[in-house]
Amino acid sequence: MSDFVDLTGIDPEAAAARLTMAGLEVAAISQLCPPALDLVISAQITAMQPHPEADKLSLCTVNDGKELLTIVCGAHNMQAGDKVALAPVGTRLPNGLNIKKSKIRGIVSTGMLCSSSELGLEESSVGIMILPAEVPLGEPVVKLLHLQDTVLELEITPNRGDCLSVIGVARELAAIYKRPFILPEISLVCSDRAAADLASIKIVDPELCPRYVGRVVEEIVLEDSPLWLKVRLRAAGVRSISNVVDVTNYVMLETGQPLHAFDLDLLNRRQIEVRRAGAQEKFVTLDANERQLDSDTLMICDGQGPVAIAGIMGGLNSEINAQTRNVLIESAFFQPASIRRSARLLNLGTEASYRFERGVDSQATARAADRAAQLLQTLAQGQVAQGSLDIHPQPRLLPEILLRPSRANKLLGLELDPLAVKDILERLQIKIVRETADAFYVIPPAYRFDIEREVDLIEEIARIYGYDKVPVTAACISDPEVIKRPETGALERLREVVKAYGYNEAVNYSFIDPQVVGAMQFTPTSRFYDFVRLRNPISSEMAVMRTSLLPGLLTNLKDNLRVNVKDVRLFEVGRNFYKLSGEKLPAEELHLAVVATGRRYREHFAAPDQGVDFFDLKGLLEEIAADFRMDLTFLAENYYNCLTPGRAATIKAGSQAVGSIGQLQRGVAQSFDLDCEVFLFEIALQPWFAASAANRVAYQGLARYPAVYRDLAFLVDETIGAADMLDYLRQQHELLVGAEVFDVFQSETLPQGKKSLAFRLTFQDMNKTLTDKKVNAIITKLIKGIEDTFAGAVR
């Protein structure tokens, strides 16, 4: 980073804090090389001879600048005179190996000659590390190789794609510390061959690819990258592949511009064509997977067919390989939304797509290609062709934005003068087109996609000025009069009544699948099919506004039964929506719906084994009506078609039909995967709104994870009370959320003076799903406690 901004005197910790305060959160700070490597020094092999007791070992006499050491080594890639990396006695290598004076086959070895992988600089290596011949002796290797550096790990927000590079972060540091930002000049020695004679580029779809730059480099030598490049890539989490591929990755990390290198000789007719994929086109990417493309996916093609998915991944048919000698470097600007869509569609996210989705600097594509060509010329002995192929049919127009310092001061609570605002703009490389007494007209840099409005510029001023310097003031908030809608009190009261009868409230989306309405078998001409359709639904299952609360509640019932909750009582209060012919807005009507299944009472030894039925719901309606002083009648006619004849009725308030009640037909129940008797009702609430309001209702969220039920029976003395045992059990563990007695058994078959008490235990964790192992461990402790406390014996 010091290549782009002077970091002299800047502490990494302090820089990290300043970056975080400026909106670029630094998640971690580490050293490029472990501190232990400071002990590894440069040394020179002065003599070598075979080990007298081992054919595969050598005895090396090594000069560390102070003394001569004898070291036993198993590598064979060195010779006398080579400069090497020496780990003296007392060094601890990154792999945990402690270097000690040791006797190897009768010879005392006083140190170790290290490979780059043993030093943690590479994932793998062959032989020991050979240092440049000019390095002095006895100096730390990390210092000689310029590896004494600090690594900052940043978490970049989606709007700051410009900071997904070393240059982007350097720009921020330059602005924060008021230091010049420097872009080093790129110097190229070009051959006498012109790029335009060696390749051609055509953009068929300029909307998705406004700019495409190609640079030709010939006669490259494909080999391993130098150590400094490998180490820098590894620090960024990128695996080294070859010097050519590593250069493209390195330039991407440095500039933020993704690059791709094509084997020029594998491109048919040596041409590039940027177009959308054809219908039903397939393509094999570099990861050897065949991808099914759609017609809106942007492709990079040669004279025969696709060679890369634009901005995402290249293809096997043009990859760099051991025979590659000539390459075409691609540096382009692709429309971010197009890359984002294609990456999601193909389920293929890459470092390149990550950057293209957020937007790259369209004015820096040529420089990135030149930088890659420069490195290939240096690291791969490449011959750079004259000129680049820069196709730019649609230059990106940058907005001109008005910024008023007075407006910035008002929003931020500051008193910055216009000169201070101008200074910040210039440090951020925001171009000032013209000035007035209290206004700047500016154009943001091409890499700042997040600056579109005046308020964005004001945010930039706050970032660079320092959020910590913005004064904290109490917000002026008015306290407007809260006017309750007429039905608010009635709804609160209604919920209290229904909850008092053991029902839990459900809250579902107002969007439903129109097919579930058909599954309810409503009369085809009824208003249940007067759908209000969404123009841009989240999914086909949320395509229309609901016309009944029942489909949502039946789905909730199915979800509860699926996790073994068999006794379910749910209700929902919400609005149904009906399209009105000739009207712009739909009708919105409040309804109450209830569904119930399972036992009438909780399982208990004294409770009858009875299931809920029609009369339970009818009784609930009558209690609601009594509480609201309403008269209800029930008629066994004109009820919903989804209900079972003989077990259904129409609900009337006075002379007005307000809903239906009854048992769900078996066929309809099966449509919702329900294999049980379900009773329900739905009523319109408009007739209830004249009732008085009641107290506010407080709600508690339902558990997200299923409960575990276990039954335990104990043989205890008949004088022991079940309540005492229940109190004991309930206090033993926080995951035991319920304990009930479901059976008391006394008989001559039991020992005299004894009785059997059976308990239903419910275990539940609000944060995760319980395992049998966890529950069994608790059960074991409970049994031991009963045995010790009540002298009980498990049956």
Side-chain angles (χ1 to χ4, degrees):
M1 190 172 298
S2 57
D3 293 339
F4 309 104
V5 59
D6 182 11
L7 299 177
T8 304
I10 298 178
D11 178 68
E13 295 278 352
R18 295 288 296 272
L19 284 171
T20 299
M21 288 302 298
L24 304 181
E25 182 182 356
V26 178
I29 304 176
S30 61
Q31 295 301 312
L32 183 61
C33 295
L37 292 189
D38 290 341
L39 298 178
V40 180
I41 61 176
S42 58
Q44 185 174 31
I45 301 174
T46 59
M48 284 183 60
Q49 62 185 26
H51 193 294
E53 301 295 332
D55 294 338
K56 295 183 178 180
L57 299 179
S58 300
L59 297 182
C60 300
T61 301
V62 178
N63 181 7
D64 67 356
K66 296 180 180 179
E67 58 180 326
L68 295 178
L69 304 173
T70 299
I71 296 177
V72 178
C73 183
H76 301 284
N77 66 313
M78 67 290 191
Q79 60 185 0
D82 283 343
K83 302 281 183 72
V84 294
L86 168 65
V89 173
T91 304
R92 180 180 176 85
L93 297 180
N95 60 10
L97 179 64
N98 290 312
I99 306 302
K100 302 177 182 178
K101 181 184 291 187
S102 58
K103 184 177 289 188
I104 303 176
R105 296 291 184 94
I107 303 295
V108 176
S109 181
T110 54
M112 176 178 173
L113 303 184
C114 302
S115 67
S116 56
S117 59
E118 289 167 335
L119 297 178
L121 303 179
E122 291 187 80
E123 294 182 4
S124 62
S125 59
V126 178
I128 65 170
M129 178 189 296
I130 306 299
L131 300 176
E134 65 272 11
V135 301
L137 300 181
E139 294 292 325
V141 169
V142 291
K143 178 183 178 181
L144 295 173
L145 298 178
H146 307 290
L147 300 178
Q148 290 177 317
D149 211 342
T150 302
V151 178
L152 303 183
E153 183 179 334
L154 286 80
E155 294 185 354
I156 304 299
T157 53
N159 65 315
R160 292 304 306 273
D162 61 297
C163 290
L164 291 170
S165 65
V166 172
I167 285 180
V169 178
R171 270 193 297 250
E172 289 290 305
L173 286 172
I176 292 170
Y177 284 98
K178 300 183 180 181
R179 299 192 177 187
F181 173 73
I182 304 167
L183 272 180
E185 183 180 352
I186 297 175
S187 176
L188 292 172
V189 178
C190 297
S191 68
D192 56 358
R193 290 159 64 86
D197 297 332
L198 301 173
S200 64
I201 297 174
K202 178 183 179 182
I203 298 178
V204 177
D205 197 326
E207 179 185 355
L208 300 187
C209 178
R211 188 177 189 184
Y212 193 104
V213 176
R215 190 94 212 200
V216 176
V217 182
E218 298 181 295
E219 301 302 327
I220 63 165
V221 177
L222 197 73
E223 57 188 3
D224 278 350
S225 296
L227 182 62
W228 68 266
L229 181 53
K230 291 182 179 180
V231 172
R232 290 192 178 186
L233 289 176
R234 190 178 183 190
V238 179
R239 179 173 59 90
S240 174
I241 298 175
S242 68
N243 53 353
V244 175
V245 177
D246 290 354
V247 161
T248 61
N249 287 330
Y250 181 77
V251 173
M252 177 187 70
L253 295 172
E254 181 181 85
T255 66
Q257 171 67 54
L259 303 177
H260 187 71
F262 295 102
D263 186 322
L264 184 59
D265 298 320
L266 295 180
L267 296 179
N268 186 273
R269 302 176 189 171
R270 289 195 165 198
Q271 73 177 41
I272 288 291
E273 182 176 281
V274 186
R275 62 167 175 81
R276 302 189 192 215
Q280 302 299 315
E281 195 165 17
K282 294 182 180 180
F283 180 65
V284 180
T285 48
L286 282 171
D287 55 4
N289 288 323
E290 185 177 67
R291 312 276 179 179
Q292 177 67 56
L293 309 174
D294 79 334
S295 57
D296 287 327
T297 300
L298 189 66
M299 302 298 295
I300 309 299
C301 306
D302 62 5
Q304 185 174 2
V307 291
I309 303 176
I312 300 177
M313 186 177 285
L316 276 178
N317 55 357
S318 62
E319 72 170 332
I320 303 300
N321 56 73
Q323 286 72 46
T324 299
R325 292 294 175 266
N326 306 309
V327 299
L328 173 68
I329 301 170
E330 169 197 275
S331 180
F333 177 80
F334 300 117
Q335 207 267 346
S338 170
I339 303 303
R340 187 181 307 115
R341 175 191 173 279
S342 297
R344 300 295 183 276
L345 182 68
L346 296 170
N347 192 26
L348 183 60
T350 62
E351 289 285 345
S353 67
Y354 188 80
R355 287 163 172 80
F356 278 123
E357 288 174 16
R358 287 154 178 77
V360 299
D361 186 356
S362 60
Q363 295 181 2
T365 52
R367 188 183 191 282
D370 289 347
R371 173 64 168 148
Q374 179 190 41
L375 289 172
L376 287 179
Q377 190 173 67
T378 304
L379 304 180
Q381 305 173 38
Q383 298 181 16
V384 181
Q386 291 183 17
S388 62
L389 304 170
D390 190 351
I391 312 300
H392 201 183
Q394 289 189 2
R396 178 170 167 245
L397 298 178
L398 301 176
E400 183 177 298
I401 307 171
L402 166 68
L403 172 63
R404 295 161 292 175
S406 58
R407 176 63 175 165
N409 286 328
K410 183 176 180 181
L411 283 180
L412 300 177
L414 299 174
E415 295 181 358
L416 296 175
D417 60 64
L419 289 178
V421 172
K422 182 177 180 180
D423 175 62
I424 291 175
L425 294 175
E426 290 175 344
R427 284 152 58 188
L428 289 169
Q429 300 183 35
I430 296 174
K431 182 180 180 182
I432 300 175
V433 180
R434 62 184 186 278
E435 305 177 37
T436 62
D438 185 39
F440 295 103
Y441 293 86
V442 305
I443 296 178
Y447 50 81
R448 292 301 301 271
F449 287 79
D450 58 320
I451 300 179
E452 298 176 340
R453 304 168 297 167
E454 182 180 31
V455 69
D456 298 327
L457 292 168
I458 294 173
E459 181 185 5
E460 292 301 298
I461 293 172
R463 280 195 325 107
I464 302 304
Y465 179 75
Y467 287 126
D468 54 332
K469 298 178 184 177
V470 176
V472 179
T473 56
C476 297
I477 302 176
S478 60
D479 188 11
E481 181 183 359
V482 178
I483 303 175
K484 283 190 175 183
R485 300 181 64 178
E487 68 269 18
T488 302
L491 290 176
E492 292 176 353
R493 189 173 177 182
L494 175 67
R495 288 185 168 99
E496 287 285 357
V497 173
V498 181
K499 285 186 64 181
Y501 280 82
Y503 287 81
N504 294 305
E505 183 173 10
V507 180
N508 290 300
Y509 286 113
S510 297
F511 317 123
I512 62 171
D513 185 346
Q515 293 186 4
V516 301
V517 178
M520 294 293 295
Q521 298 183 9
F522 292 125
T523 303
T525 57
S526 68
R527 64 193 310 220
F528 293 108
Y529 296 95
D530 294 338
F531 295 128
V532 178
R533 298 187 179 275
L534 303 182
R535 290 183 177 178
N536 186 26
I538 299 173
S539 70
S540 60
E541 296 179 352
M542 294 184 172
V544 299
M545 304 294 286
R546 66 187 176 193
T547 54
S548 171
L549 302 178
L550 292 175
L553 286 177
L554 291 174
T555 301
N556 300 148
L557 178 59
K558 178 184 72 173
D559 293 338
N560 278 273
L561 293 174
R562 181 170 50 83
V563 294
N564 205 35
V565 180
K566 296 181 179 179
D567 302 324
V568 184
R569 298 187 181 191
L570 297 174
F571 78 97
E572 182 171 11
V573 178
R575 296 183 184 276
N576 291 335
F577 303 84
Y578 308 96
K579 184 178 181 180
L580 298 176
S581 178
E583 297 290 335
K584 191 173 183 179
L585 298 176
E588 299 183 28
E589 299 179 9
L590 272 171
H591 281 69
L592 165 68
V594 166
V595 297
T597 189
R599 290 186 293 265
R600 174 176 294 149
Y601 308 105
R602 289 186 178 182
E603 190 170 1
H604 192 271
F605 69 91
D609 186 14
Q610 299 173 353
V612 296
D613 58 21
F614 174 89
F615 297 100
D616 289 286
L617 273 67
K618 180 174 180 287
L620 173 61
L621 275 172
E622 290 171 339
E623 289 295 332
I624 295 173
D627 194 76
F628 281 86
R629 297 180 177 86
M630 298 288 294
D631 293 327
L632 287 184
T633 56
F634 299 87
L635 299 178
E637 58 184 24
N638 298 327
Y639 43 78
Y640 294 167
N641 287 3
C642 61
L643 302 178
T644 303
R647 298 187 179 184
T650 295
I651 308 166
K652 299 190 72 175
S655 60
Q656 181 181 359
V658 294
S660 292
I661 180 175
Q663 180 181 349
L664 191 66
Q665 282 193 33
R666 180 170 295 276
V668 178
Q670 290 176 348
S671 298
F672 288 87
D673 297 327
L674 300 173
D675 189 19
C676 58
E677 291 187 346
V678 180
F679 296 87
L680 55 83
F681 70 75
E682 183 174 24
I683 57 172
L685 292 178
Q686 199 65 38
W688 313 81
F689 288 163
S692 60
N695 296 327
R696 186 181 300 273
V697 180
Y699 297 97
Q700 180 178 356
L702 299 176
R704 296 176 57 193
Y705 300 95
V708 177
Y709 304 92
R710 296 292 171 86
D711 294 342
L712 284 178
F714 295 95
L715 189 65
V716 297
D717 193 273
E718 63 183 2
T719 60
I720 294 177
D724 295 332
M725 296 182 67
L726 277 175
D727 289 341
Y728 174 83
L729 289 170
R730 289 167 177 165
Q731 297 174 11
Q732 296 310 299
H733 204 283
E734 63 181 0
L735 296 181
L736 179 61
V737 296
E740 301 291 341
V741 178
F742 71 86
D743 184 53
V744 177
F745 178 69
Q746 290 179 289
S747 171
E748 296 178 356
T749 60
L750 296 179
Q752 187 175 1
K754 298 291 185 179
K755 66 179 178 181
S756 173
L757 292 178
F759 299 89
R760 168 62 55 85
L761 306 179
T762 304
F763 299 87
Q764 192 165 49
D765 192 331
M766 299 297 287
N767 299 313
K768 61 180 180 296
T769 301
L770 285 175
T771 63
D772 285 339
K773 181 179 179 181
K774 179 69 173 177
V775 174
N776 291 339
I778 300 173
I779 290 288
T780 301
K781 292 182 179 179
L782 294 179
I783 294 174
K784 183 67 167 55
I786 293 293
E787 291 174 348
D788 294 342
T789 307
F790 300 97
V794 68
R795 297 188 63 194

